[in-house]
Every structure is written in C-alpha cells, then in structure tokens.
C-alpha cells in the first residue's frame, strides 16, 4: 500500500504560508490554485498534463473494493468527497478523481451570477486549523456553470470516475418568498449534469437564507424541486447552529417529503470559545461576520450526525462534513452514521495527502474490525483502534 509523506512538495511550498494568518490573502491563494486546476482540467488529455495527472492518481487514489458503495443510486469508489465551496464554478470537474476523491460537490451555484460580499472575505485561522468566510455565494451563475462543464467534456452521470454533486443556493437579489423559483431555475438547467443536487439553505452569508430551514419554507422548496421532471437525487444541507429539536424536525420533513439525504454541517456562527481570538483584520473573531469552518467544528459535526441518525431511524443517507482533518475523524463520522464524508478546510491545511491518508486509515480500521465493506461500518459506533 502506498504511503504518504508530510514533508511533500505541498507542505514545502505552502506550509509556511498556511501556518500563519498573515501573508498572501486566502482568497487570492485559493483562486491561484483554481486557475491551475482549471487549465489542467481543460487540457487533461494533453501528454504532459496527462502524465502529471497519472502520477497524481498513483499517489492519491486507493482502488480498494472495500471502499465501494451505492448511495442514492450512484456508485462511489470511496466515501471521501470534496465539500462545496472550493470549486464554486466547476472549473475542476474533470479532475477531482485524480486527487483520490470518490466524489466532489460543485458550487454553491445561484441562478443569477453574483460577485458575493465585499473583500476581504476569507481568513485563515492557522493555529486552530480553521477559516472564517463570508463569501456570499460568489459564482458565475447557472448558465455560465453549464458552459464551464460542457467545455471540459465531462462524461454523463453514471459513467464518471468521480460522482459529481451540484450545490444550489438562492441569488441574493431574489426575494425570500420567491426562493423556490430561483432554485428551480438552476436545477432545471443543471439536472442533466448532476449525480445528485443539494439544497443549500444553511449558509450564514446570504441574508435570510437560513430561514428557509423552517418547516413551511423547506417543504415548499422540496416539493417545487421534486416536481421537476428530471430531478436528480435531492439532498438538503443544514446548519450546525440549529437546536436539537430543529434538527429532528428537518429530519422528519426530509423523510416525509422524499429527500434522498442530508448533509451536516455547514459553517457556523458559533465561535466555539474562540470569540476573543484576533484575526488578520485586527478584530476578534467574535466581532467579525461570517461562518467558521475547520477543526473547531469537529465535535458539533459528529454530534449532529449522531442526532440525525437517531431522528431518521438510520433510514436516510447522511454526509458528514465539518472539522474532518484526519482518518480518525472520518472514521468517527462514518461509525456515527455518515455514509459519506466531505473535506475542505482540512484539505487546505493538511494538503492533498489527506485524502489517501483517510482512505488508508479507513481500510486499516475495517481490517481491524473485521468489516468487508465500508457500509458495515456506517452507524456501527466501533471505536478507532
């Protein structure tokens, strides 16, 4: 089995930058990486690029049948995915499998193109392996997203090396009482591209969006989208700041209205005992707007998955995200009830080796517990050994 090294090129080149809050703006750094990924995805069949990608795949992929499973009708080669928010415009849609991901969630995409909130709006909190963002669904809009995917000549759903989900949000200019129309326009256009689609009603950075998690609003949104003739498997992504009672209610509504899965959790307005920590702006974390992501959310993410598993009687696929920075954290999320896990902030801080590290760890844990397939670990509550 291939092994990964922490002193790899990623850490040599970026380790110092990522170990401090100051320095190159976090959004500029992210966009630079995405530009390189965009070029590689568009030109992935060119000899030089294809050779580099072949080397990457040998380093990062783990082709082990024990990691395979079918979830909401799609074949996942492994349970580790890229969370929404990194590849907002789908520029790397043809590339994510080379990094070892079993799936990637693109977006968040809105019907109208929008610039998002004023900059700066993304901040590293390096010591805590966290980030603060108030991006505001900056993206090129659904129609441009479609063109971006078509240019990459992505295979149709069901034939891809990597499952692709599409995360949908509400345009800022759309009134809340017309949100269902906004989501519907995007999904109607993008459904043929989607292995699954996600209703994002939990970002803290679009005014009023989280109110759509209310029972009446979410039922209207679900029914509108489910009525589309080509609606793919439909998931909802929830906030970590909901009460336990609100989580139970969303689970009930989801199951009664044909939702295919729940993603938990989005970024948090809670500061998790870090509210007095000063960040790059000179203000404390408690004084700044935006959602917190990364390691501080690990416990809450685990608690919400456990809650959802009980609320759904273990009868609805769950995707665990938030604070997953290690193989152990991924194992704990899966054994708590998640069928799949997603990473983003952890991937940035730990580097691309995090994916194969997690996959190697999952394989080792299954061997230690006598599991033949990852599905046997889901909800088992078996400890990390």
């Amino acid at each position: 089995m291939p092994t990964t090294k922490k002193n790899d090129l990623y850490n040599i080149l970026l380790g110092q930058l990522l170990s401090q809050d100051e320095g190159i703006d976090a959004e500029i750094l992210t966009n630079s990486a995405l530009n390189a990924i965009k070029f590689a995805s568009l030109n992935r069949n060119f000899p030089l690029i294809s050779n580099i990608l072949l080397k990457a795949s040998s380093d990062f992929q783990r082709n082990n049948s024990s990691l395979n499973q079918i979830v909401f009708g799609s074949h996942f080669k492994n349970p580790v995915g890229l969370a929404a928010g990194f590849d907002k415009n789908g520029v790397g849609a043809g590339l994510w499998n080379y990094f070892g991901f079993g799936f990637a969630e693109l977006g968040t995409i809105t019907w109208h193109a929008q610039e998002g909130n004023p900059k700066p709006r993304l901040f590293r909190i390096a010591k805590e392996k966290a980030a603060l963002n108030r991006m505001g669904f900056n993206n090129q809009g659904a129609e441009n997203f479609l063109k971006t995917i078509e240019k990459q000549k992505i295979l149709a759903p069901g034939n891809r090396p990597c499952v692709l989900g599409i995360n949908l949000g509400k345009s800022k200019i759309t009134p809340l009482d017309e949100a269902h129309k906004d989501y519907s326009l995007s999904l109607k256009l993008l459904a043929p591209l989607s292995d699954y689609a996600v209703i994002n009603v939990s970002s803290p950075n679009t005014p009023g969006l989280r109110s759509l998690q209310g029972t009446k609003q979410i039922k209207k949104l679900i029914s509108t989208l489910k009525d589309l003739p080509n609606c793919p498997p439909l998931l909802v992504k929830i906030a970590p700041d909901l009460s336990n009672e609100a989580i139970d209610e969303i689970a009930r509504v989801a199951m009664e209205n044909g939702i295919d899965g729940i993603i938990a959790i989005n970024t948090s307005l809670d500061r998790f005992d870090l509210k007095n920590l000063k960040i790059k702006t000179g203000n404390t974390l408690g004084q700044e707007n935006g959602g917190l992501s990364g390691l501080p959310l690990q416990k809450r993410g685990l608690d919400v998955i456990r809650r959802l598993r009980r609320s759904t009687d273990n009868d609805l696929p769950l995707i665990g995200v938030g604070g997953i920075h290690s193989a152990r954290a991924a194992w704990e999320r899966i054994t708590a009830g998640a069928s799949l896990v997603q990473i983003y902030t952890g991937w940035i801080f730990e580097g691309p080796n995090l994916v194969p590290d997690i996959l190697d760890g999952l394989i080792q844990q299954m061997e230690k517990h006598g599991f033949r397939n990852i599905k046997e670990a889901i909800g088992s509550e078996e400890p990390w050994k």
Side-chain angles (χ1 to χ4, degrees):
M1 182 180 293
T3 58
T4 55
K5 298 178 180 179
K6 290 297 178 185
N7 60 339
D8 62 5
L9 188 61
Y10 181 90
N11 287 283
I12 291 169
L13 294 176
L14 294 177
Q16 187 172 356
L17 282 175
L18 297 175
S19 67
Q20 53 189 345
D21 298 349
E22 302 297 327
I24 299 176
D25 178 80
E27 186 174 354
I28 291 174
L29 202 60
T30 298
N31 288 338
S32 297
L34 282 169
N35 285 334
I37 287 168
K38 177 181 179 179
F39 178 82
S41 189
L42 286 170
N43 299 286
R44 60 188 183 278
N45 294 322
F46 287 13
L48 178 60
I49 302 296
S50 64
N51 287 339
I52 292 171
L53 293 175
L54 185 63
K55 174 63 168 63
S57 66
S58 69
D59 288 341
F60 301 133
Q61 291 180 353
R62 298 293 184 265
N63 296 313
N64 189 309
S65 62
S66 68
L67 296 171
N68 295 182
Q69 59 178 319
I70 304 293
V71 187
F72 33 81
S74 289
H75 177 252
F76 290 78
K77 291 186 177 179
N78 72 64
V80 179
L82 178 70
F86 186 76
D87 191 359
K88 294 175 180 292
N89 294 302
V91 298
L95 216 63
W96 294 118
N97 61 295
Y98 292 100
F99 288 92
F101 289 108
F103 67 111
E105 195 168 303
L106 311 175
T108 297
I109 302 137
T110 56
W111 177 245
H112 297 285
Q114 53 188 41
E115 293 185 2
N117 292 324
K119 300 177 182 180
R121 53 194 182 182
L122 178 62
F123 307 94
R124 288 185 298 272
I125 308 171
K127 185 178 179 182
E128 285 73 22
K129 294 190 175 182
L132 180 73
N133 98 76
R134 45 174 177 259
M135 304 296 286
F137 288 167
N138 57 305
N139 74 106
Q140 296 174 359
E143 291 180 333
N144 285 318
F145 179 90
L146 176 62
K147 294 174 184 176
T148 297
I149 299 298
E150 288 176 341
K151 285 179 182 177
Q152 295 172 78
K153 297 179 172 61
I154 306 298
L155 295 173
N159 297 308
R160 299 165 175 166
C162 180
V163 171
L164 295 178
I166 297 183
N167 186 296
L168 304 173
K170 183 190 80 69
S171 305
K172 188 174 182 179
I173 64 172
T174 301
L176 281 168
D177 60 0
E178 295 182 9
H180 62 291
K181 298 178 183 178
D182 197 87
Y183 285 88
S184 181
L185 285 168
S186 295
L187 184 56
K188 186 176 181 180
L189 180 69
L190 301 178
L193 304 175
S194 311
D195 288 296
Y196 69 89
V198 181
I199 306 171
N200 187 344
V201 287
S202 50
S203 169
N205 299 317
T206 295
L209 185 78
R210 287 188 168 189
S211 69
L212 296 176
Q213 294 175 116
T215 300
K216 181 179 178 181
Q217 294 89 338
I218 196 70
K219 285 177 69 174
K220 183 177 184 180
L221 189 49
I222 293 169
S223 64
T224 300
L225 299 182
K226 293 289 285 187
D227 284 345
L228 291 174
N230 57 350
C231 183
L234 194 62
L235 286 71
V236 63
K237 186 170 185 176
I238 68 171
D241 309 317
L242 294 169
S243 67
N244 286 337
E245 291 74 20
I247 291 171
D248 293 343
E249 178 64 8
I250 281 186
R252 182 188 67 79
V253 170
M255 295 189 72
E256 289 180 355
N257 290 272
I259 279 290
D260 298 282
I262 300 176
I263 303 178
I265 51 178
N266 212 318
T267 60
S268 180
L269 292 172
D270 196 323
R271 297 306 184 235
F272 298 95
D273 299 322
L274 299 175
K275 65 179 182 179
N276 295 320
L277 181 72
K278 281 200 172 182
I279 66 170
K280 187 177 179 180
T281 62
N283 293 328
T284 65
L285 199 53
Q287 293 172 318
E288 294 286 354
N289 295 323
L292 188 68
S293 65
L295 200 55
L297 276 69
Q298 188 175 105
K299 182 181 183 302
R300 180 57 180 163
L302 185 60
D303 289 345
V304 173
I305 286 293
R306 285 199 174 109
R307 185 86 192 187
L308 284 168
R309 179 169 176 259
R310 290 194 296 270
S311 301
T312 61
D313 294 323
N314 200 25
D315 198 32
L316 196 66
L318 307 175
I319 301 180
V321 57
I324 297 176
H325 283 237
S326 66
R328 179 169 184 167
W331 176 256
E332 289 174 347
R333 209 66 58 96
I334 289 169
T335 58
S339 296
L340 306 163
V341 296
Q342 293 176 328
I343 57 176
Y344 176 175
T345 307
W347 192 62
I348 300 300
F349 281 109
E350 305 298 333
N353 280 334
L354 180 59
V355 177
D357 284 352
I358 289 175
L359 298 177
D360 289 343
L362 295 179
I363 293 167
Q364 291 166 4
Q365 288 300 306
M366 284 191 288
E367 290 173 351
K368 290 180 179 181
H369 289 281
F371 294 150
R372 293 168 295 176
N373 184 269
I374 193 66
K375 287 187 74 70
E376 297 176 49
I378 297 168
S380 68
E381 292 290 357
E382 290 292 343
W384 175 266
K385 286 187 177 181

